[in-house]
Amino acid sequence: MTFRTLDTADLAGKRALVRVDFNVPVDGGKITDDTRLRAALPTIAYLSKQGAKVVLLAHFDRPKGKVVPEMSLGFVAEPLSKLLEQPVAFASDCVGPAAAEVVNGLENGGVALLENVRFHAGEEKNDPDFAKALAANGDVYVNDAFSAAHRAHASTEGLAKLLPAYPGLSMQRELEALDAALGNPKKPVIGIVGGSKVSTKLDLLNNLVAKLDRLAIGGGMANTFLYAQGHDVGASLCEKDLADTAREIIAKAEKAGCELLLPVDVVVAKKVAPGVETAVRPLDGVQADDLILDAGPESAKRLLAAMDASITLIWNGPLGVFEVPPFDEATVSAAKHAASLAKSGKLVAVAGGGDTVAALNHAGVSADFTFVSTAGGAFLEWMEGKTLPGVAALEN
């Protein structure tokens, strides 16, 4: 992938339309986690410093093309201005006279936030006329919302065709990290894919076995693979109807020379609850009423050794029910090991997806990974090998 980068742009006095992701969690009108606002700060600050008029475009919730007052982005302006330490003007619409008035009132370096782009049906339909109406308030377009890049909407894809288009600093960092993990990685590459169901990650598994040197499968989805290999998984979560599919993936991995790492021992209990009695079982020792809830110590040890033998790691999904200790042990030990290898420069460790981010935060190691993507759907679609419209639109 090749992109024009912001440091090559002529920005002084220009109106920079910046697509950000401000779809933040809210409780009682207050933002409960401002991670997404903070992610946009470097790009906004850079543009402002270069003398651009910074015009922010974002969506919030799902108003489905209608004006829904409780889904207005107005509440974001004040917390954002505090983080930026400069005023943020707010426009009651993202197109038309209300938007133009606020944008035209900006001084060089000033920042404005426009109203929810999804208040217009043309946004999600990627309507060319709506994209033109958005473009009327900009001279350059900057996409800093990787998390929305898997959608071909007017503000993520349509605009990029109408104005000189650049990735923002956050988007650029994400794309460079993803390229280092799967586009042009240093080999050998190991993947970890966990989570509860194989059915939600079929495209992902099929893409990865063709690209990786090793792939560790954990979580509930590992049970389906073990069952497909003839092991009894007791009362565990298992998609028995996908046994043939699992066998096809195993065969595909073998043909591609990708070593599959499935659990060789498991941690079981009779129910999922803190403080329950647990046991470590070999694969042939799982009882009829056992629930497999984590990978066992031998499996974890094997995974750590496989990381030691790799140069690049890409991770999506936990290895067990990490939310309920002690079924977090395999996930935590793998996360800590990967983080320590990454910190010492021995491993490029890239992770993403909601559960994965939560698991790495639980292990206290997110900051030591090379890169942790908070973009759920877009990260997964990229791992599946799909083209992301918002990314493709930025390519030179």
Side-chain angles (χ1 to χ4, degrees):
M1 293 181 205
T2 53
F3 306 95
R4 286 185 284 210
T5 51
L6 273 182
D7 54 6
T8 65
D10 171 23
L11 296 165
K14 299 281 170 66
R15 298 167 302 165
L17 275 177
V18 189
R19 180 56 160 98
V20 288
D21 181 0
F22 285 171
N23 196 23
V24 289
V26 172
D27 187 14
K30 292 268 182 272
I31 297 171
T32 55
D33 180 353
D34 65 0
T35 304
R36 288 181 164 174
L37 299 192
R38 289 179 184 276
L41 297 180
T43 297
I44 298 170
Y46 178 82
L47 293 166
S48 178
K49 205 172 169 187
Q50 299 301 312
K53 296 170 180 177
V54 186
V55 183
L56 304 173
L57 298 171
H59 76 275
F60 178 68
D61 214 329
R62 295 180 175 168
K64 300 191 174 162
K66 296 184 178 70
V67 175
V68 181
E70 54 271 29
M71 294 181 193
S72 167
L73 272 167
F75 72 97
V76 174
E78 192 192 343
L80 181 63
S81 69
K82 277 187 182 156
L83 289 170
L84 280 169
E85 297 180 351
Q86 73 177 95
V88 174
F90 180 70
S92 60
D93 201 348
C94 58
V95 292
E101 187 182 342
V102 170
V103 173
N104 295 339
L106 285 178
E107 294 184 358
N108 290 358
V111 181
L113 171 64
L114 307 189
E115 184 56 281
N116 194 339
V117 288
R118 289 191 182 171
F119 280 1
H120 295 265
E123 163 64 3
E124 294 188 72
K125 289 178 182 160
N126 200 4
D127 179 341
D129 289 334
F130 180 63
K132 274 181 196 154
L134 288 172
N137 287 310
D139 304 302
V140 296
Y141 169 69
V142 179
N143 191 343
D144 210 29
F146 178 78
S147 48
H150 57 316
R151 306 275 182 244
H153 292 170
S155 69
T156 59
E157 203 250 5
L159 263 177
K161 294 175 176 169
L162 300 173
L163 298 171
Y166 303 85
L169 302 182
S170 175
M171 170 82 105
Q172 184 183 334
R173 191 168 160 249
E174 182 112 27
L175 294 175
E176 285 167 357
L178 299 187
D179 196 50
L182 212 54
N184 294 286
K186 290 183 176 162
K187 288 178 161 283
V189 188
I190 182 170
I192 298 174
V193 175
S196 52
K197 293 186 173 180
V198 174
S199 52
T200 59
K201 295 193 177 177
L202 283 176
D203 290 349
L204 176 62
L205 293 168
N206 276 308
N207 185 45
L208 292 183
V209 292
K211 291 189 172 179
L212 304 179
D213 300 290
R214 294 181 188 89
L215 176 60
I217 296 175
M221 62 198 303
N223 302 338
T224 303
F225 279 84
L226 295 174
Y227 174 79
Q229 289 181 324
H231 297 289
D232 187 348
V233 294
S236 311
L237 174 69
C238 177
E239 293 173 288
K240 293 181 176 176
D241 57 326
L242 286 179
D244 286 342
T245 306
R247 285 189 282 268
E248 282 164 23
I249 291 168
I250 292 167
K252 190 174 174 181
E254 203 172 325
K255 194 177 170 192
C258 172
E259 183 191 355
L260 271 192
L261 299 171
L262 286 163
V264 290
D265 61 343
V266 291
V267 177
V268 302
K270 305 303 179 194
K271 60 177 182 176
V272 186
V276 293
E277 194 181 329
T278 67
V280 175
R281 304 243 197 262
L283 293 183
D284 58 2
V286 177
Q287 298 172 2
D289 58 348
D290 277 343
L291 294 171
I292 298 172
L293 300 171
D294 198 11
E298 276 308 308
S299 306
K301 208 159 96 181
R302 213 169 54 123
L303 177 55
L304 304 195
M307 284 187 207
D308 289 337
S310 303
I311 297 174
T312 304
L313 162 71
I314 180 150
W315 187 342
N316 174 259
L319 301 172
V321 187
F322 76 94
E323 302 92 340
V324 185
F327 310 115
D328 59 346
E329 283 184 16
T331 301
V332 168
S333 72
K336 287 188 168 171
H337 194 70
S340 117
L341 289 172
K343 204 173 176 185
S344 61
K346 292 175 185 161
L347 187 73
V348 173
V350 174
D355 281 356
T356 319
V357 176
L360 298 184
N361 287 339
H362 171 75
V365 297
S366 294
D368 292 334
F369 265 60
T370 313
F371 187 79
V372 177
S373 171
T374 54
F379 181 82
L380 244 136
E381 287 197 19
W382 167 82
M383 271 183 88
E384 289 165 359
K386 292 175 182 168
T387 298
L388 307 184
V391 172
L394 296 175
E395 289 193 50
N396 270 344

